Amino acid sequence: MNPINLRYLNKGDMVDGIALVKSAEVRVSSTGSRYLDIMLMDATGEMNGKSWDWGENPAPEVSGVIRMKGMVTEFNGKPQMRVDRLRAAKEEEINWANLVPCAPEDPDEMLRELKRVARSLADVDYAALAEYMLEQYEDKLRIWPAAVSYHHAERAGLAYHTLSMARAGEALLGLYTFLDRSLLLCGVLLHDLCKIEELDASAQGVAAGYSTEGLLLGHIAAGVRRAAEAGMALGLPGEKIMLIQHMILAHHDIPEHGSPRRPMFPEAEMLHHLDVMDARMYDMSHALAGVTPGEFSDRVRSLENRRLYKRLENDDNNSESIE
Amino acid sequence: MNPINLRYLNKGDMVDGIALVKSAEVRVSSTGSRYLDIMLMDATGEMNGKSWDWGENPAPEVSGVIRMKGMVTEFNGKPQMRVDRLRAAKEEEINWANLVPCAPEDPDEMLRELKRVARSLADVDYAALAEYMLEQYEDKLRIWPAAVSYHHAERAGLAYHTLSMARAGEALLGLYTFLDRSLLLCGVLLHDLCKIEELDASAQGVAAGYSTEGLLLGHIAAGVRRAAEAGMALGLPGEKIMLIQHMILAHHDIPEHGSPRRPMFPEAEMLHHLDVMDARMYDMSHALAGVTPGEFSDRVRSLENRRLYKRLENDDNNSESIE
Amino acid sequence: MNPINLRYLNKGDMVDGIALVKSAEVRVSSTGSRYLDIMLMDATGEMNGKSWDWGENPAPEVSGVIRMKGMVTEFNGKPQMRVDRLRAAKEEEINWANLVPCAPEDPDEMLRELKRVARSLADVDYAALAEYMLEQYEDKLRIWPAAVSYHHAERAGLAYHTLSMARAGEALLGLYTFLDRSLLLCGVLLHDLCKIEELDASAQGVAAGYSTEGLLLGHIAAGVRRAAEAGMALGLPGEKIMLIQHMILAHHDIPEHGSPRRPMFPEAEMLHHLDVMDARMYDMSHALAGVTPGEFSDRVRSLENRRLYKRLENDDNNSESIE
Amino acid sequence: MNPINLRYLNKGDMVDGIALVKSAEVRVSSTGSRYLDIMLMDATGEMNGKSWDWGENPAPEVSGVIRMKGMVTEFNGKPQMRVDRLRAAKEEEINWANLVPCAPEDPDEMLRELKRVARSLADVDYAALAEYMLEQYEDKLRIWPAAVSYHHAERAGLAYHTLSMARAGEALLGLYTFLDRSLLLCGVLLHDLCKIEELDASAQGVAAGYSTEGLLLGHIAAGVRRAAEAGMALGLPGEKIMLIQHMILAHHDIPEHGSPRRPMFPEAEMLHHLDVMDARMYDMSHALAGVTPGEFSDRVRSLENRRLYKRLENDDNNSESIE
Amino acid sequence: MNPINLRYLNKGDMVDGIALVKSAEVRVSSTGSRYLDIMLMDATGEMNGKSWDWGENPAPEVSGVIRMKGMVTEFNGKPQMRVDRLRAAKEEEINWANLVPCAPEDPDEMLRELKRVARSLADVDYAALAEYMLEQYEDKLRIWPAAVSYHHAERAGLAYHTLSMARAGEALLGLYTFLDRSLLLCGVLLHDLCKIEELDASAQGVAAGYSTEGLLLGHIAAGVRRAAEAGMALGLPGEKIMLIQHMILAHHDIPEHGSPRRPMFPEAEMLHHLDVMDARMYDMSHALAGVTPGEFSDRVRSLENRRLYKRLENDDNNSESIE
Amino acid sequence: MNPINLRYLNKGDMVDGIALVKSAEVRVSSTGSRYLDIMLMDATGEMNGKSWDWGENPAPEVSGVIRMKGMVTEFNGKPQMRVDRLRAAKEEEINWANLVPCAPEDPDEMLRELKRVARSLADVDYAALAEYMLEQYEDKLRIWPAAVSYHHAERAGLAYHTLSMARAGEALLGLYTFLDRSLLLCGVLLHDLCKIEELDASAQGVAAGYSTEGLLLGHIAAGVRRAAEAGMALGLPGEKIMLIQHMILAHHDIPEHGSPRRPMFPEAEMLHHLDVMDARMYDMSHALAGVTPGEFSDRVRSLENRRLYKRLENDDNNSESIE
């Protein structure tokens, strides 16, 4: 079944396709009639919809997939879907890649590469720790997003963010040769793993919000504790457990961002830079995706409300830039 | 043997007594002669000393106790001890209470009271957790200071600070009756215990500085982890482990002070207030100890460089103030 | 007459009862008809209402009490009252305790206790000052709220906040025995009294906003001045007037919160802690009032936008927690 | 008697002249001999001095004037006075203008001008208030400095600062014609008057430090209170008393600088600008006084540690710059 | 043609007049009919309007002038224009002074005075630089606003702001005589000139927003560069170019406001004060324009969300205040 | 001639070798004799020295090279050189690499590589700009340090920092393929070039401090201007000049660090990360250079006063870490 591609619809478009139900509620209009208020979602974006004569039907299930027909109208200057018909989608109509935003690489392949990195660590202790932790979180890592919104808030976004950092770290190890590869890459692999405990996500990799423990403790405190438990279970030397704990604790760099300690050795410092650099590159490229060259984006909340500039395309002489 | 009472000496005083060696080094003067540079310490304070013709003798052992004779001179406007004779003190000459600052209550009695509080918790889970943790740290809690400098930097200062907070918490539970006594007092008992891991202290309860793990992780991250390990070992419900972890994590209130999460339920909030209130009362009463009524103290670093005012004594009508 | 209990109404409920008019305005709809837009209020909360065919009637008086019949509908996902009939309430239908949020203790009894505290001060000067000031503000103290919104924004909230602090102070004086009871409790009694000048409140104890002087000067500057005037009128020693002025001036602790001086003696410091602790306990218990155990509240503005967690109920073993 | 002009002395200079004693203490050298440590001061600056064989003589009186002979030596790279002879100066040897830094205009003349400004206010209420307050503080205003250090820390510096602001205000009233001249200039005359209560100064106009009340309350809280008392004594309308109180309260602009309220009407805002502009012009011209054109000053603490640049002299074409 | 005077219209007023089109869009209502959503503007303010049966007509041109008839209605408690008829205005119907907010002095006269100031500088280099720059920007300076919103966001507002500062500077040069008049006034004339590059404005002097270069570089960086280019083109001494560059660079005083360097000589410091003082006086007098005496304005964003107080009128005795 | 290797000398060492004169002054002791106070420097560090009987000799020339004999003594616990003999060094005795700290690669080779990078840019405009700017600063780039202290404060440190960033940028371009290589690397090459104008350095590449223009304008404002001048001289399109100016302007990321604009496109953002990452890696590896494994460094000012931890050496299994 073709996806609706909500982001690219215009007023007046007739629609027949599938979408994910982000939220749905039956309401009563000022004239007393019951209507459905539904938030539709697919991999391209979201759109509010109304089905005006809903009667006594129950609202569709949240996180379910529906097939619908309707037309795009406009309300308060924004597009709105007038839903004319709606039913649960059949199994064979569903293609998840069209319904939720996904990381740009295959989850299974990413997991294999992350494990290859873990096995490649020359220090057997860090290798063992990284492999152990990846195994524990493996299943969820295949689908988990890295955030509720902003950077890497997409299916398998956590694995993709971790892998990008590992690749960038590998590239920079050739320049900053005093860094311990095993320590740095072990830190990269573990630093955000406990976002799996911090975030609640659906089976489709859409973050629904924060877990209770996520709000009360956060992924950094959880990560410090889980790394210590794993390290002791594996019999790692105390020094190495401590170094990894510190890297997790310090990877947000400053207290205001959630790190009670600032990085106190070079690998911890580099981990922080790999993290923020990858997040910023992701946010910037996404924020500029729909912007016309020569214009500015709207203010981007995850980039401290900066507006971003989309540079004009270079001429033919700029062949090395494969965008 | 009488203590020297370093704080109360004046220029010209002749001295014969015992003192603790905080640091000691043999140096060479510009004229080539060797002299001893020594930092003397007792329960009242510290004073630099010099022994001018030290020759080839080794420096006295740091943290050892010496008996010395000498005279108080002055250098750069500050008192300085001219050490004329010096030897290791004999066992029978040493009274530790005169040599290191001590909490104002007996350590054994404080430990008994802390355990009584733990046993008194109506919730058996929190009671078990508190008893378990007190037992684990019991020996060190008898001597450990609560800080390197500033509030409760004294032998058994950590136990005293914890006990004062428990008493204040008990007093306020009568007013704020919606608070869960078991949760609040369990949080009080555990919140700073990992200062025992964070600080290095001598057998006499003098903090020598921070441990490696203390600098890299801090007592909050360590406390969160230890509480979780203990909770799991005792089979506590996950909710209760999580609440205690949050209380430890949040007890410094704001990120800039080391808490990645702010208090998110009333017992966590109250724990923070008990902590800072007790610390401030301690610092203020100590900073004002030697100040003349009607005058101001010097700037106090632990109180954000405030100068404190020592109020004039009230007249006879103020009999309720037993200072 | 039964109150409406606005907070607990659901869509579809039929209503017949009394409410306070917080605001009311006659407006013209896009179709040209005149309707009444009214904000209803009782002790449980507020709700917007509409009376659609209002015609040429004037709007009901603000701060008046009405009796109304109608039905709860919904607009933009929030409940809204469709007002079908409405008239001024009769004297015998009105029970103020149902109409405005009130402090949980009887105002007259609170006033008596506040005066008992004042008389109990051993220092005759502070006792005289406290009694004098309480007498001056006595009438308004019986009804005045402590804030426009947030902590103790309720009828007699100022007296209740002051009394809670006095009780907490009394409880802690037993622990921090170097504090001067007369000075501390005199400071407690006086510290917020000039909120009576700062806030405009109705005869029912509902804060309408800030007075002109309240906005231009604030209750701290007014309090400093009033305390000095009273002290001079009573012939108090200059030192004591100055100490009380400082306590009022410094009780918000830091400049950013309105205190140009930070507390410079222990009683002033303790006053600050009593104040913020009582405010936080109030705000937290109110913010959690309607939250399901195991869930989080919405963000609370007065608590720096924290979300609060409502802990799960303990089991039978937790009998000391009488909520 | 010629002044010493301490600022302009060089190593090796022989000195015979008068100086003010800022501080003086008899100390004992490491060899046991008694020497005088003295801080000399005159209008040009300060210099430390030593008189090496002081014997059993008492130290000279602080704030007294001495006549001395000696030679300039050097210690730690700074000039130091070797005092060879020293006695109390005779009355006829003393010229105060050479001994303490003084404002550049005659105090009596400044007072006359300040009073002329007060009398010139068209609003009789503000005129009465300004005259009343000037009379109350008149004697001390003739000598009081405006600060312990930094801007206008000089004899009659407070009067000079106030007068400069009044002149600048008058000049700008011609441009910003919506400002009320009476209100603005009354605010100027009163805004810093209570520095006379805040600072302790010698009879010579040298600030010795802060008074107890100055430290506990500050000149802003004192000023608010004194203005209100005066206003009530004179029977001023409440509105006018309130406006003047607000101007005093808000003239430091932001809480971090001591103003609990920010300026809320144009005259209060302008008062703030006149104040900071005059202070900055003073500090900058003084900091650049001894700097070589084309070079930078040292860091200036009162200017947030900025270094200042002394511009090169313009050529003959710049005749309007009368420096 | 009479202007509409949008700010002063009330519900029910019948309107026939001209207005500027700030924005206009044809939308589709929920019932499918097409209507015009238009933002009307004239010198007094703005108002949203609707023309309900717009049909297939195109929207009027943005920045064009229209003549319209209609009636003032109300929506959500705010006035709204129901547009009944609408056409492009004829040339003879347009009076720009009624359509856009204008500075209160004649642009040509202001330009003449600015040039007179430039020619009056005694230093021939600064005079040449100021004249050269004014000539370059002369045409746009006649119309350019100084901001998109807030201070001096009006036709020729940039020239008016610059001229007001020059006049204030001249007035203060008589008091702070160590300032170099040529340097200070040259800095005043040049400091904001590159707002002409930073802001996009219509031919009518209405700022449409920021230019691409304005967003990427800002008027300070542009100003520093343009001043240097002009200085080199004119052969000015390097020292003088550098001083002017610094003044432009530092005139916002602190990094958070856009100045990478703080003022480092007195003329640069004074320039900053003239700038902020003039902006504040403008914003305050405008914010108070419609406020009833004795009341407060709403919160003003450009004044850090302060509310401003409109003082009560003084009595007859206050004749010098010509408002 | 052997260097002295000042950093590695211990008390009592006899010295015969060459050193650079960082500063030198003849002073007079308290006994009246003249001595030389000299600050010695070589590539390993600095040491203060004294030559006690200097007599009437002039001080050695600053920045000159001397040959000296002497012995290491101690003063205030720090090593001090007692200089017994001293003369200007002969040409053949001097090896600059031993006298000043140098970047770890050959300056000529670094310059060749920087130019290769410039030539490799596919966009001919950016290539031309980068080549032009490198040529202009080529001679100084061979020797210039990147700072007065902290990161890359060494001979040719600016070239080394720039080259390291270019290499890191190249490595990351493979991962973040949407970045424009020409734009990013042109920004890298130009971003700090005007440190050559900001810093005064000796012919040996030792930074003596800031130039006048450096203090008044800074390297960012200078760089923006120089890039624009070069771009216009080369006839580059305005868009490209603007992008490069923005990258220079924004490369310190936040106003508090000197950037009035935050990065507004991905290449500008990446430039910032390359810059700070390279600086941090440099500072951290240098700060840890002399620290014993398992211990902490002193507080490092350039790293916000962090103390750094030197991790224990890994065992034989960690062969990939070539330190």
Side-chain angles (χ1 to χ4, degrees), chain B residues 121-126 164-165 167-168 171-172 175-183 239-240 242-243 253 262-267 269-270 273-274 276-278 280-282 284-285 288 296 303-304 306-312 314-315 317-323, chain C residues 121-126 164-165 167-168 171-172 175-183 239-240 242-243 253 262-267 269-270 273-274 276-278 280-282 284-285 288 296 303-304 306-312 314-315 317-323:
Chain B
L121 304 184
D123 183 296
V124 294
D125 293 322
Y126 293 130
S164 296
M165 285 172 62
R167 289 166 178 165
L172 293 170
L175 290 167
Y176 301 111
T177 54
F178 56 90
L179 296 171
D180 180 349
R181 180 179 180 272
S182 296
L183 180 58
E239 163 96 0
K240 292 181 180 175
M242 184 177 67
L243 295 180
D253 191 31
R262 303 204 61 181
M264 292 168 94
F265 47 84
E267 290 81 5
E269 178 75 20
M270 180 54 89
H273 290 291
L274 293 174
V276 68
M277 189 166 64
D278 191 61
R280 289 288 162 87
M281 286 301 109
Y282 182 98
M284 285 204 158
S285 65
L288 286 171
F296 286 84
L303 296 167
E304 301 90 20
R306 270 178 267 183
R307 298 180 61 189
L308 299 186
Y309 179 66
K310 175 87 158 195
R311 67 171 194 277
L312 296 174
N314 286 343
D315 313 326
N317 56 26
N318 196 13
S319 55
E320 92 276 36
S321 171
I322 308 144
E323 201 159 348
Chain C
L121 304 184
D123 183 296
V124 295
D125 293 323
Y126 293 130
S164 296
M165 286 171 61
R167 289 167 179 164
L172 293 170
L175 290 169
Y176 301 110
T177 54
F178 56 89
L179 296 170
D180 180 348
R181 179 178 179 274
S182 296
L183 180 58
E239 163 96 0
K240 291 181 180 174
M242 185 177 66
L243 294 180
D253 192 32
R262 303 204 61 179
M264 293 168 92
F265 47 84
E267 291 81 6
E269 177 76 19
M270 180 54 90
H273 289 292
L274 293 174
V276 68
M277 190 165 63
D278 191 60
R280 290 287 164 88
M281 287 300 109
Y282 181 97
M284 285 204 159
S285 65
L288 285 172
F296 286 84
L303 295 167
E304 301 90 21
R306 270 178 266 181
R307 299 180 62 189
L308 299 186
Y309 179 66
K310 175 86 157 195
R311 67 172 193 277
L312 296 174
N314 286 342
D315 314 324
N317 57 25
N318 196 14
S319 56
E320 95 275 35
S321 171
I322 308 145
E323 203 160 346

Side-chain angles (χ1 to χ4, degrees), chain D residues 176 180 264 278 309 314, chain E residues 176 180 239 264 278 309 314:
Chain D
Y176 301 111
D180 179 350
M264 292 168 92
D278 191 61
Y309 180 66
N314 286 341
Chain E
Y176 301 110
D180 180 349
E239 163 96 0
M264 293 169 93
D278 191 61
Y309 180 66
N314 286 342

Side-chain angles (χ1 to χ4, degrees), chain D residues 98-151:
Chain D
N98 292 334
L99 288 172
V100 293
C102 295
E105 300 191 23
D106 176 64
D108 291 328
E109 186 46 53
M110 290 197 287
L111 259 292
R112 271 192 294 274
E113 186 171 341
L114 288 170
K115 287 173 172 180
R116 266 199 305 271
V117 171
R119 274 194 308 274
S120 79
L121 304 183
D123 182 296
V124 294
D125 293 323
Y126 293 131
L129 178 61
E131 288 190 87
Y132 177 91
M133 291 290 279
L134 286 176
E135 270 160 33
Q136 286 211 317
Y137 291 94
E138 180 167 7
D139 292 342
K140 292 193 168 170
L141 201 46
R142 271 196 184 75
I143 56 170
W144 228 253
V148 174
S149 50
Y150 310 131
H151 89 89

Side-chain angles (χ1 to χ4, degrees), chain B residues 175-178, chain C residues 43 97 100-111 113 141-146 151-164 167 278 281-282 285-286:
Chain B
L175 290 167
Y176 301 111
T177 54
F178 56 90
Chain C
V100 294
C102 297
E105 300 191 22
D106 177 65
D108 291 329
E109 185 47 51
M110 289 197 287
L111 258 292
E113 187 172 340
L141 201 46
R142 271 195 186 77
I143 54 169
W144 227 253
H151 90 86
H152 299 94
E154 60 193 9
R155 182 181 168 96
L158 179 55
Y160 183 63
H161 173 53
T162 304
L163 187 54
S164 296
R167 289 167 179 164
D278 191 60
M281 287 300 109
Y282 181 97
S285 65
H286 278 65

